[in-house]
Amino acid sequence: MSGYKGRLTYAKGTYVEFVVAPKQDVDFGDILVVKGKNGDIFYIRAYDFKVKSRWSGLNGVGYLMSKLNQDGQVENQEELDFYLGGNHTVKIGMAEQLCYVDQQGQFLNPKTCPDFFCEVRGLSTEDHALLAEMQGDLEIGFLKTGRGELNLPVGIYGNKTITEHIGVFGTTGSGKSNLVKVLASSMLSSGQYGLLVFDVHNEYYNALSKHPEAKGRLAVYNTQPQSNYAAKLSVDFGEVEPDDVMACASFSEPQVDALYKLAAIWQERWLEYILKYDPADIVEELAGCTGQKFNTRTISKIKSVCWNLQQELNLQEMEPVIPEILQQLAAGKIVLIELKSISPVGEQALSTLLSKKLLQHYASNQNAAKDKPVLIVLEEAHRFLGKKEHANNNVFARLVSEARKFNLGMCVIDQQPRLLADKVLSQLNTLFILGLASKADRSKLESMCRKDILQQRHEIKNLDCGEMILATNYMRFAAPVKVHKFEDFLGISAGIQQSVAMPQPTFTM
Ligand SMILES: Nc1ncnc2c1ncn2[C@@H]1O[C@H](COP(=O)(O)OP(=O)(O)O)[C@@H](O)[C@H]1O
Ligand SMILES: [Mg+2]
């Protein structure tokens, strides 16, 4: 699509109109370049069209209609072509200025309009500054146009996006998992970022293991490994805290009270002892230490939840695995926690526990200079960050509001963004918006998204599988992207690593 596209015919504020050159195609959403008079360059996005002709007036239309037969069909095509041909008809593109680059190559937000009749052309590799900003260091796809994709890579800068949280939204089949695979694969190549994926369907290992860096940078854990690639994940009694147990079931007030008292009395052996002793003995111990007489049923309920947890998480006295996981993440590895064979309760407990340990590790700041930023991928995130769950201030809610201080970030994936708490949505500074079937979900994102994506409404509505709108804080505008298909990306990624180095962009906000 690069090359001459037309000429600017009107500009007011950031709005511009241009005439589309004959035989050229411009589509909704296309990003184009206007060459200014002094060597500066304006980037615009076409969002609508109108067709005008010197025949457009009532008289003209009436005259043309008179050339049709009674059924409204053309009788003499040659004659009609004569009237319509030549320069009588023009297609006018309506566009919005996105940003511009001055003669020194500096990126600026719109400050002035281009002049009348400036040339409009398609994007090409000449547009270094813009392309470098869009490419980032974690490649995800190619810039998309109305009817295809350009050979211009688009991605994100990990160090600018991870700690500012990412949202991935799309209906089932829109390409969310493929996108995570591509992102993980770019992270594997980079080695600069840790990625913790709670893999609910055990779907990522097969794909990611084909990456050339997988051997050194990919680790897989499973509580019941049935394959030789996954390491056994088990949790030591001492690693579980009362709120991990509380994340798995709803407890009454006396039950919560008893739980915390037991933890206070028995310290890091509380869970072991709850599992070991009889409810009646525990009641007696509590009464002896605190003077409070609990009901045996209260203790039985706690014991029962703890027992379930023990089965799910392989609770045992052992050399803990979690510190090893945290170390790998901090060293910039990709860690998959396979959860397919675990129940929803165990899944909840395990993801809460691991995320909490990660938060504690990063908050304690032991190795802050060396630790790499880590992104935590959470699928069907409304289960953890819905309106009700967020109000409970669970670990994920804390991560969303505090993690950026500690070099951590969340990647929240969901089919229905409207189910997430508003406080969560407003904290997501990078959005990958894939196809969303429901209008309610699209409207929710429009109202919460910091980048004004209203103008891209039409595009968002018509996104096909693997297509998305990428909106991130540091980019001046939301970009339409065709996400790489993971298999194709891996096929070409070896080549990409040696490809031309892009110049670093200069950021001026
Ligand atoms: N960018 C893409 N290019 C081509 N095919 C894709 C792309 N993204 C996804 N697909 C295909 O679409 C199907 C569904 O994708 P998936 O990532 O599993 O969707 P989701 O996780 O949103 O349900 C898969 O068969 C996948 O190969
Ligand atoms: Mg999926």
Side-chain angles (χ1 to χ4, degrees):
M1 103 155 188
S2 62
Y4 176 60
K5 291 289 178 189
R7 295 265 165 194
L8 191 110
T9 54
Y10 177 82
K12 181 173 191 304
T14 55
Y15 172 75
V16 297
E17 285 184 2
F18 61 96
V19 51
V20 179
K23 304 209 180 72
Q24 290 299 322
D25 291 319
V26 179
D27 297 321
F28 291 114
D30 280 1
I31 295 172
L32 301 169
V33 186
V34 182
K35 286 161 94 168
K37 285 269 157 69
N38 326 315
D40 37 10
I41 284 184
F42 298 82
Y43 291 102
I44 61 171
R45 181 193 345 259
Y47 64 88
D48 213 345
F49 298 96
K50 52 191 176 188
V51 172
K52 278 187 174 171
S53 160
R54 66 174 258 225
W55 298 100
S56 289
L58 258 188
N59 287 343
V61 173
Y63 185 73
L64 288 179
M65 291 296 277
S66 73
K67 299 289 167 197
L68 305 178
N69 70 13
Q70 279 173 342
D71 303 323
Q73 301 303 306
V74 178
E75 276 206 320
N76 187 342
Q77 188 68 46
E78 216 170 298
E79 189 189 15
L80 200 67
D81 285 347
F82 171 75
Y83 289 118
L84 292 180
N87 303 330
H88 300 315
T89 311
V90 290
K91 184 174 174 189
I92 301 286
M94 297 151 84
E96 185 71 19
Q97 191 191 143
L98 302 167
C99 57
Y100 88 104
V101 179
D102 66 9
Q103 292 109 301
Q104 284 78 40
Q106 269 223 351
F107 238 116
L108 300 161
N109 284 333
K111 285 192 170 39
T112 178
C113 336
D115 285 318
F116 182 72
F117 228 56
C118 283
E119 184 184 329
V120 177
R121 63 166 174 84
L123 276 179
S124 71
T125 42
E126 279 171 50
D127 302 293
H128 297 302
L130 179 84
L131 298 178
E133 183 177 89
M134 288 207 298
Q135 184 171 14
D137 64 344
L138 298 172
E139 185 175 323
I140 288 168
F142 284 134
L143 191 67
K144 183 177 95 65
T145 69
R147 56 189 85 183
E149 62 195 45
L150 301 175
N151 196 8
L152 304 174
V154 185
I156 52 173
Y157 281 102
N159 54 7
K160 289 189 195 339
T161 48
I162 287 181
T163 55
E164 304 258 305
H165 309 305
I166 299 175
V168 177
F169 301 117
T171 316
T172 307
S174 60
K176 298 183 295 298
S177 300
N178 177 73
L179 171 62
V180 173
K181 286 179 202 165
V182 172
L183 184 65
S185 155
S186 287
M187 287 186 169
L188 273 170
S189 307
S190 145
Q192 293 306 309
Y193 309 103
L195 183 73
L196 173 62
V197 185
F198 294 108
D199 185 358
V200 193
H201 306 293
N202 295 9
E203 61 183 328
Y204 293 115
Y205 175 77
N206 247 345
L208 293 177
S209 61
K210 302 194 178 83
H211 192 284
E213 295 289 345
K215 213 158 184 274
R217 296 197 182 139
L218 179 69
V220 190
Y221 292 88
N222 193 321
T223 49
Q224 292 141 30
Q226 269 143 24
S227 49
N228 49 9
Y229 63 82
K232 190 170 176 75
L233 175 59
S234 40
V235 178
D236 180 64
F237 288 119
E239 290 177 308
V240 183
E241 290 173 26
D243 48 345
D244 299 317
V245 177
M246 278 164 59
C248 309
S250 52
F251 286 105
S252 70
E253 237 173 79
Q255 286 161 354
V256 174
D257 188 22
L259 190 60
Y260 276 100
K261 293 230 155 79
L262 287 169
I265 296 166
W266 285 327
Q267 306 276 325
E268 69 273 12
R269 311 207 74 168
W270 68 274
L271 184 56
E272 209 182 323
Y273 288 171
I274 290 182
L275 288 164
K276 194 156 116 191
Y277 295 131
D278 251 12
D281 295 339
I282 297 177
V283 169
E284 213 166 287
E285 174 79 18
L286 271 170
C289 292
T290 66
Q292 223 173 327
K293 184 109 177 82
F294 284 94
N295 195 318
T296 326
R297 277 215 306 264
T298 306
I299 306 301
S300 301
K301 160 83 187 250
I302 297 175
K303 208 172 146 73
S304 144
V305 176
C306 291
W307 190 87
N308 291 343
L309 206 60
Q310 181 182 27
Q311 310 310 307
E312 298 275 5
L313 302 190
N314 271 336
L315 280 176
Q316 49 192 284
E317 207 166 354
M318 62 158 312
E319 195 55 31
V321 183
I322 295 179
E324 172 189 303
I325 296 182
L326 302 184
Q327 237 164 34
Q328 286 173 327
L329 288 169
K333 293 191 181 179
I334 312 298
V335 175
L336 306 177
I337 308 292
E338 294 194 331
L339 297 168
K340 195 174 172 183
S341 48
I342 208 170
S343 76
V345 169
E347 186 198 331
Q348 191 129 4
L350 194 55
S351 19
T352 306
L353 183 77
L354 272 175
S355 306
K356 201 174 67 185
K357 295 286 175 205
L358 192 61
L359 183 61
Q360 285 166 353
H361 176 84
Y362 270 66
S364 72
N365 227 4
Q366 286 159 344
N367 245 335
K370 279 216 320 253
D371 286 353
K372 304 254 163 49
V374 174
L375 184 68
I376 303 174
V377 177
L378 201 58
E379 293 218 29
E380 290 176 57
H382 66 265
R383 295 176 304 160
F384 305 94
L385 289 167
K387 296 182 175 83
K388 202 174 93 220
E389 292 75 11
H390 184 267
N392 292 341
N393 201 24
N394 61 16
V395 63
F396 297 106
R398 290 209 304 279
L399 271 165
V400 168
S401 59
E402 294 171 27
R404 73 185 55 177
K405 293 191 285 228
F406 310 126
N407 228 4
L408 293 174
M410 297 282 303
C411 176
V412 168
I413 304 183
D414 215 304
Q415 299 178 38
Q416 294 173 289
R418 67 175 191 278
L419 298 183
L420 291 168
D422 281 0
K423 282 209 176 115
V424 174
L425 283 174
S426 66
Q427 296 276 356
L428 305 174
N429 284 316
T430 299
L431 292 183
F432 296 143
I433 308 173
L434 295 138
L436 277 167
S438 136
K439 183 157 183 276
D441 284 319
R442 294 195 302 266
S443 308
K444 187 80 209 174
L445 287 183
E446 278 167 15
S447 65
M448 298 305 298
C449 184
R450 295 186 177 192
K451 279 274 162 324
D452 191 4
I453 52 173
L454 273 181
Q455 263 181 1
Q456 275 151 293
R457 259 199 169 143
H458 284 306
E459 278 178 75
I460 292 178
K461 208 158 107 186
N462 296 325
L463 288 170
D464 280 333
C465 169
E467 296 178 347
M468 69 167 183
I469 300 291
L470 161 60
T472 176
N473 248 10
Y474 67 84
M475 249 153 69
R476 255 150 265 263
F477 54 88
V481 181
K482 168 72 176 67
V483 180
H484 296 308
K485 189 172 166 55
F486 174 76
E487 292 77 7
D488 301 345
F489 184 47
L490 261 205
I492 56 170
S493 69
I496 280 181
Q497 278 155 19
Q498 296 126 27
S499 73
V500 258
M502 277 292 196
Q504 284 298 307
T506 38
F507 292 101
T508 7
M509 293 289 181

